[in-house]
Amino acid sequence: AHVATRAIDALGQGGHWEKALEQLRGVIADSVESSDMLCAAAMAACEESGDWPKVLQLLDTMCSVGPAPETRSGKAAMRACVRAEAWRE
């Protein structure tokens, strides 16, 4: 999962949030254990593109099917909403 997290991070920093989400889906489909760190990296990729609704969708999915959101993903979701000035929604 560490290599996947770094790949998702790099894609996000390059502005390729859609590819970052594809990478996350691939990791989950391959039955590699996803983690809070992995999901937070995908959230950061979406945040970089300004897609805060997608960040909240990922957080909702984590709450529904796992992994359970922890500090990193919670902070990533908050940053995305604050950056988009969408924290009231």
Side-chain angles (χ1 to χ4, degrees):
H2 183 68
V3 172
T5 301
R6 292 187 66 173
I8 290 171
D9 252 349
L11 288 166
Q13 290 176 12
H16 304 287
W17 66 272
E18 290 172 325
K19 289 183 180 183
L21 291 179
E22 282 179 34
Q23 180 76 25
L24 177 62
R25 286 186 201 104
V27 168
I28 292 169
D30 291 342
S31 298
V32 174
E33 184 178 327
S34 56
S35 67
D36 182 67
M37 184 168 46
L38 185 63
C39 292
M43 288 178 175
C46 293
E47 175 195 355
E48 285 297 316
S49 72
D51 193 352
W52 64 269
K54 185 63 76 177
V55 173
L56 295 183
Q57 184 180 27
L58 283 168
L59 184 63
D60 185 54
T61 299
M62 290 176 72
C63 290
S64 300
V65 296
E70 295 178 20
T71 304
R72 287 184 178 161
S73 58
K75 285 182 179 180
M78 285 188 283
R79 275 192 314 270
C81 290
V82 168
R83 184 175 182 185
E85 297 182 5
W87 54 272
R88 295 181 187 176
E89 296 193 30

